Amino acid sequence: MRPLVLIGLVCLALVLVPAVQAGTADVAVTATAVDPAVLMRGDTGTLSVTVTNTGTGPVEISRARLSVRDLQVLKNPYPSVGDLGPGNSRTFTFTIRADAQDGYYYPKFELQFATGNSLRVPVLVRVDDTDLLLSVTEQPESFYAGKREAVAVTVGNPRSSPVTGVSVSLRGEGVEVTPTSRFIGTLAADARSTVIFNITPSQAATLDIRAIYYNGPTLHQAENTLPITFQTPKKAAAPLLSNIEVEKTGGAYQVTGDVINAGLKTAHSVVITADTPGKPVDPFRLYVVGALEPDDFSSFEVTFEAEAGDRVPLLVTYTDADGNAFERRVPVEISGTGGAATEGESGSVLPVAAVIVLCAVAVAGAIAWSWKKR
Amino acid sequence: MNRILSLLTRPQDFFEGLETPWPLRGPALVVLATGLLAGATAIPVTRLTFEMLPAEAAAYAGIGLVAAVVGAVIVTLVLWVVTAAIAHGLSALFGGDGAFRRTLAAIGYGYVPMAIGTAISGILMWQLVATARVEPVADPLQIQDAITGLMSDPLGQAATVVGILFLLWAANIWVFGLREARTLSTRHALICVAVPVAIQVIMSASQYLG
């Protein structure tokens, strides 16, 4: 009996052992994943490998590890694994950091079996440090102090993987921005998104355009700038004064002339008055012209007091369609006589009148005496 | 002096007492003196004008002053002859009888009060110019406007009024002189004198009429 049992056990071992040895070959890598799909330099991501036991018996796995030369594996968390049943799958996830230049890397996933065999599979990891592109796609022809203008900013993703949590903001000293930032969200690969900001600059400045986004769990930032300089708008209203005549009436100066809008936009609420050192007086302290369309003109008249010889500027104020106020100053010579004037009183009127009266009396007397009959 | 007083206050006696032929030297000297006084009046105005012109024109100020004086004398002389010619021509319509020389002399004697008036006007103009402040003008055509503006001053207006008053005095003398020179009635003599006087008054007042 005993020999038969021994022979049976040997046969059973011969059957079983080959069955156990054939299971490691049935373990295969069925899926790999890198998140984010394309890493940027310095990014932290995860590399996942899914293995499946396609055999009919369990396979004992002693450990799983990831090794790579250029990238950094932050942790190998699988020093021991255990059995993988037939038909079962297991995913091994490793945290990696892309401390490397742009390029393609192949970290090795290694599965050590209890039988001493091992399974080694390279996994592709791509590192690409390409940043998002920020550009100003629409802006006004020129900026003007205090005038609100719209600026369009386009964010483009030239990467081959999407980025998430994209938001854009504008900042500049002396510049009021509405809204302060805009949230875009996920930006797919090769996609772009345009956002509109309204800015009101009070001074020339450099506008900082900033986009923040996430590539996986890592926060990134793209920047650009937009210089804001003030220039005379080409299509602005331009009220000009011409045909100016100055007269002195009593103690005040009266200035008349024409105002014409030589610009390409309507000048609203045009008002003309005398500026310092002139002192506006009645009856025309200021003259309201109203709206002047391009190429339209109107006459005006202002009265003011000033010292003889002063150059008095006429102040022309007007607004544009948005209510932004503008002003121009036009100097006017007020010598009063076009080139010569007497300083103050050139002698009291009384002595002059006395001279005239005396002469008249003398002449009249002489004429009367000459006709007197002897 | 007595003769001048007689001319000014008793022109009838003066002209009746003139010996024939009436001399022209005396009247010519009176007219010349009046012209020189008018030239003296033109000096301050001319100097003021050159102060308003650009610097390069100021170099010709001396020539300008001489030209102003000479011009004033010439204009006065011409005006003497023209006035006499108008009066003589008009008197011919009324049957006037007498040589043009007598008319010329009568008109010339009438310039005595005009010389006095020109002197007084000259004093007023010098005073006006002394207190005037000038500014250069870019366009020389603006000078006329500037001078016109200056004459709007009370002193300028007084100078014009004084000139017209003494012109009337001269006209009074011309009436008596023309009546005697051309053997006219008083009425006809008045008419003959009124026309050239009216022309001169209009010319003096025209600067204020714009």
Side-chain angles (χ1 to χ4, degrees):
Chain A
M1 180 66 170
R2 228 173 167 174
L4 285 173
V5 172
L6 278 172
I7 293 168
L9 286 172
V10 169
C11 292
L12 188 64
L14 286 173
V15 169
L16 290 175
V17 168
V20 172
Q21 290 177 338
T24 61
D26 294 327
V27 175
V29 173
T30 54
T32 63
V34 179
D35 182 37
V38 179
L39 293 163
M40 298 178 76
R41 211 173 302 161
D43 271 4
T44 298
T46 58
L47 189 154
S48 300
V49 180
T50 301
V51 298
T52 302
N53 181 1
T54 59
T56 56
V59 175
E60 186 179 355
I61 302 171
S62 57
R63 76 173 177 182
R65 57 179 287 123
L66 185 71
S67 62
V68 62
R69 192 171 56 190
D70 299 309
L71 305 178
Q72 188 168 359
V73 180
L74 296 182
K75 202 173 180 183
N76 267 307
Y78 304 102
S80 64
V81 180
D83 288 345
L84 180 64
N88 289 345
S89 297
R90 175 128 181 217
T91 300
F92 299 90
T93 302
F94 302 90
T95 304
I96 60 175
R97 191 166 66 209
D99 294 334
Q101 299 294 319
D102 291 4
Y104 296 91
Y105 299 90
Y106 299 91
K108 284 194 180 56
F109 169 73
E110 183 180 344
L111 212 56
Q112 282 280 344
F113 298 104
T115 58
N117 295 340
S118 63
L119 174 66
R120 292 190 181 87
V121 175
V123 180
L124 172 63
V125 174
R126 183 181 170 193
V127 177
D128 178 7
D129 204 42
T130 302
D131 214 344
L132 294 187
L133 293 177
L134 275 176
S135 57
V136 176
T137 48
E138 273 182 38
Q139 66 177 36
E141 206 172 86
S142 58
F143 292 96
Y144 206 80
K147 192 171 188 298
R148 190 177 72 169
E149 297 284 3
V151 171
V153 177
T154 297
V155 185
N157 181 12
R159 301 174 56 77
S160 54
S161 62
V163 292
T164 59
V166 181
S167 68
V168 181
S169 64
L170 263 58
R171 273 186 184 78
E173 190 174 341
V175 181
E176 185 183 318
V177 181
T178 309
T180 53
S181 67
R182 281 199 184 269
F183 183 76
I184 295 174
T186 299
L187 198 60
D190 277 338
R192 67 174 188 269
S193 180
T194 300
V195 291
I196 306 290
F197 292 89
N198 290 312
I199 68 168
T200 308
S202 59
Q203 62 187 44
T206 298
L207 204 60
D208 292 322
I209 308 170
R210 194 172 300 173
I212 59 171
Y213 60 97
Y214 290 87
N215 189 40
T218 309
L219 180 67
H220 291 274
Q221 179 175 284
E223 293 177 331
N224 202 342
T225 58
L226 172 65
I228 295 178
T229 55
F230 293 148
Q231 299 171 3
T232 303
K234 292 179 186 174
K235 294 185 179 178
L240 303 176
L241 304 186
S242 67
N243 200 23
I244 295 175
E245 292 184 357
V246 181
E247 278 187 27
K248 189 165 184 190
T249 54
Y253 289 93
Q254 180 187 47
V255 177
T256 57
D258 297 327
V259 54
I260 180 170
N261 183 5
L264 299 176
K265 290 270 180 81
T266 299
H268 298 273
S269 306
V270 180
V271 176
I272 302 174
T273 184
D275 201 7
T276 314
K279 183 184 161 192
V281 294
D282 292 324
F284 297 106
R285 288 175 178 270
L286 50 84
Y287 194 89
V288 180
V289 177
L292 268 183
E293 293 186 357
D295 295 332
D296 194 11
F297 73 96
S298 170
S299 60
F300 72 90
E301 183 174 354
V302 291
T303 49
F304 57 88
E305 291 177 346
E307 294 294 323
D310 285 342
R311 290 187 88 196
V312 175
L314 293 184
L315 178 63
V316 183
T317 58
Y318 60 100
T319 61
D320 63 8
D322 293 327
N324 297 298
F326 303 89
E327 60 182 38
R328 287 175 176 240
R329 283 178 171 77
V330 179
V332 172
E333 297 284 348
I334 57 161
S335 59
T337 56
T342 54
E343 291 173 338
E345 296 286 329
S346 60
S348 139
V349 175
L350 198 57
V352 172
V355 168
I356 295 174
V357 168
L358 278 172
C359 291
V361 168
V363 170
I367 293 173
W369 185 262
S370 68
W371 289 93
K372 189 176 175 186
K373 289 191 187 301
R374 271 186 276 168
Chain B
M1 184 58 72
N2 285 338
R3 292 197 64 193
I4 293 175
L5 276 175
S6 173
L7 173 64
L8 291 173
T9 59
R10 306 296 292 180
Q12 181 178 348
D13 295 341
F14 177 84
F15 285 108
E16 286 176 352
L18 278 180
E19 292 180 2
T20 308
W22 287 5
L24 272 181
R25 192 174 68 174
L29 285 174
V30 170
V31 174
L32 185 63
T34 306
L36 289 172
L37 284 169
T41 303
I43 288 174
V45 179
T46 305
R47 202 168 58 210
L48 197 71
T49 302
F50 275 95
E51 284 180 18
M52 285 189 278
L53 288 175
E56 49 269 22
Y60 301 96
I63 299 174
L65 287 172
V66 171
V69 173
V70 171
V73 172
I74 293 174
V75 167
T76 305
L77 290 170
V78 168
L79 205 60
W80 170 36
V81 174
V82 169
T83 303
I86 294 173
H88 192 85
L90 289 172
S91 66
L93 299 176
F94 299 116
D97 179 33
F100 179 68
R101 177 196 176 95
R102 291 165 66 89
T103 306
L104 204 59
I107 300 301
Y109 281 120
Y111 268 74
V112 172
M114 285 181 69
I116 300 172
T118 302
I120 297 174
S121 296
I123 293 171
L124 293 172
M125 287 303 296
W126 274 90
Q127 180 63 25
L128 172 64
V129 171
T131 57
R133 180 190 52 78
V134 298
E135 288 181 5
V137 293
D139 183 2
L141 295 178
Q142 294 177 348
I143 291 177
Q144 180 60 41
D145 293 335
I147 299 300
T148 302
L150 201 63
M151 293 304 292
S152 300
D153 187 84
L155 281 173
Q157 294 175 339
T160 304
V161 171
V162 166
I164 293 174
L165 284 173
F166 283 86
L167 174 63
L168 294 176
W169 193 353
N172 182 65
I173 296 174
W174 290 341
V175 168
F176 288 99
L178 196 65
R179 191 176 70 174
E180 197 62 32
R182 294 285 280 162
T183 319
L184 292 173
S185 66
T186 303
R187 191 169 74 91
H188 289 159
L190 271 168
I191 294 170
C192 293
V193 165
V195 173
V197 168
I199 292 172
Q200 289 190 49
V201 170
I202 289 171
M203 283 171 58
S204 293
S206 62
Q207 60 186 322
Y208 299 106
L209 298 178

